[in-house]
Amino acid sequence: MGLAIDASCDLPQAFLQKHNIAVMPITIRVDDEIFLDNRSQVELHRFLDRNLGSRSHSAETEPCSIEEVQKLFLDKLVLEQDCVFCLTITATRSAINDHVIKASFAVLKNYRDVRERNNVTGPFLMRVIDTRSLFAGSGPAIVEATRLIDAGEAPAAIRERLTYIANNSYGYMLPRDLYYLRARAKKKGDRSVGLMSAVLGSALDIKPLLRGYRGETGPVGKVRGFEHGAETLFDYAAKRVHAGLLVPAVCVSYGGDLAELAKLPGYDGLRAACEECGVELMEAPMSITGMVNVGEGAVTLGFAAEEHVAEF
């Protein structure tokens, strides 16, 4: 059994390589420049080194097309595995989930001929899971998938468990630049970040804490100053770690040089809580897609836990 994810699911490259996780890429166009977001560190650094800054909010993003998903599976994955789980960021914010579902019809219709030509026998299963979250918030379901596969669980049991984890995954984001976030939202026709809130928030250095949960995204709190916001978010996550998680992992991503993450206030406390409770703290650079959509310097954090009220 294997896994495929879309590029905007934020997890460390070493983790993806260890578990042989296929990445469905996203094409980014910023003016006349094209970037292929496939979680490649080379492409990520090329994007960061270009200092595109304020221009990125006007970027066009193209998720892996139906035809490209079909090609990935029929040229490669159906020959390497007998069952592949595809995990994507929430369908309410990206077309990738819909593309993968539509591609699956052709894959399941045509895989037999491909496998027979290559002397591969037996049926092939393809299952699509909507993580119902964004960026690092998609991480817990993917981590759980690797645990279940390593434990030799049956596909039906894995699908049921991943659906449960997706429904109980919490993804949080702290943006650094509200003007950028508002410009990007306007570009996409999203009215969730109004001009006045962006102007007032920037003038007073007030940042919203945003949450992705069960396909819905929106603010759950406000903090004054980015560093104070980071401390508030990390302190909250540390408390949830102590309260108990459904998957023993906290996923964190940063929109820039990952070395900056550990310098933020409260991060040492989160790391200590994870070590004390046997929870893996998984750090990853934010995808190019993530930075285009929410701005460089943003923090996202994800974990899976029983339903609870967030208090900020």
Side-chain angles (χ1 to χ4, degrees):
M1 285 189 283
L3 295 171
I5 64 170
D6 80 72
S8 54
C9 298
D10 289 336
L11 282 166
Q13 187 71 11
F15 176 85
L16 301 181
Q17 292 173 346
K18 176 183 177 181
H19 296 282
N20 193 30
I21 298 174
V23 176
M24 295 176 284
I26 299 168
T27 302
I28 313 288
R29 287 183 172 82
V30 186
D31 296 337
D32 58 348
E33 294 192 67
I34 296 178
F35 299 88
L36 184 66
D37 186 2
N38 59 1
R39 302 213 62 85
S40 157
Q41 298 302 292
V42 173
E43 194 74 340
L44 176 67
H45 288 303
R46 185 169 77 89
F47 177 82
L48 291 171
D49 290 344
R50 295 290 291 114
N51 292 318
L52 297 174
S54 59
R55 284 195 292 144
S56 296
H57 68 76
S58 63
E60 299 288 344
T61 60
E62 296 179 11
C64 204
S65 69
I66 298 169
E67 293 74 22
E68 287 169 331
V69 175
Q70 290 175 9
K71 181 174 174 58
L72 171 65
F73 274 80
L74 293 175
D75 287 359
K76 177 177 169 64
L77 298 185
V78 303
L79 299 175
E80 296 177 350
Q81 277 123 10
D82 297 321
C83 175
V84 174
F85 287 89
C86 301
L87 292 94
T88 73
I89 65 167
T90 178
T92 59
R93 287 281 173 174
S94 171
I96 183 64
N97 184 266
D98 183 59
H99 288 185
V100 176
I101 290 173
K102 289 177 178 175
S104 70
F105 300 138
V107 171
L108 294 175
K109 179 182 178 182
N110 297 309
Y111 79 82
R112 291 186 186 278
D113 289 343
V114 175
R115 282 164 70 98
E116 285 175 3
R117 286 198 302 269
N118 289 272
N119 299 315
V120 181
T121 59
F124 175 80
L125 297 176
M126 179 178 176
R127 298 291 182 259
V128 185
I129 305 291
D130 179 350
T131 66
R132 307 194 74 185
S133 193
L134 295 159
F135 312 133
S138 297
I142 300 166
V143 173
E144 184 71 351
T146 64
R147 284 162 37 85
L148 295 169
I149 288 173
D150 288 347
E153 295 287 346
I158 293 176
R159 185 178 191 177
E160 181 179 358
R161 176 65 176 173
L162 294 186
T163 299
Y164 176 74
I165 295 301
N167 283 331
N168 290 279
S169 290
Y170 293 79
Y172 290 92
M173 183 182 74
L174 178 67
R176 193 180 285 269
D177 185 342
L178 283 187
Y179 280 117
Y180 182 98
L181 196 62
R182 189 257 172 187
R184 182 61 183 171
K186 183 179 179 182
K187 163 75 176 175
K188 298 184 72 175
D190 186 344
R191 299 177 179 271
S192 59
V193 183
L195 175 60
M196 288 309 296
S197 64
V199 171
L200 280 173
S202 296
L204 300 173
D205 201 21
I206 293 174
K207 312 288 185 187
L209 266 174
L210 305 171
R211 184 183 73 178
Y213 176 63
R214 295 183 178 173
E216 299 295 325
T217 55
V220 290
K222 293 182 178 179
V223 289
R224 185 172 290 245
F226 182 82
E227 297 219 334
H228 174 61
E231 186 172 25
T232 300
L233 178 58
F234 296 146
D235 287 351
Y236 163 71
K239 290 176 183 175
R240 296 316 311 172
V241 168
H242 283 294
L245 302 178
L246 295 172
V247 179
V250 172
C251 303
V252 186
S253 70
Y254 181 75
D257 183 354
L258 206 52
E260 298 300 312
L261 186 61
K263 299 175 185 178
L264 292 173
Y267 198 72
D268 285 344
L270 174 59
R271 181 184 285 119
C274 289
E275 290 176 357
E276 182 180 341
C277 297
V279 169
E280 187 172 5
L281 183 58
M282 305 184 72
E283 305 170 343
M286 186 180 290
S287 66
I288 299 174
T289 306
M291 285 188 280
V292 161
N293 279 292
V294 303
E296 289 187 32
V299 170
T300 77
L301 182 148
F303 57 79
E306 298 289 0
E307 189 172 352
H308 61 277
V309 177
E311 296 178 354
F312 293 105

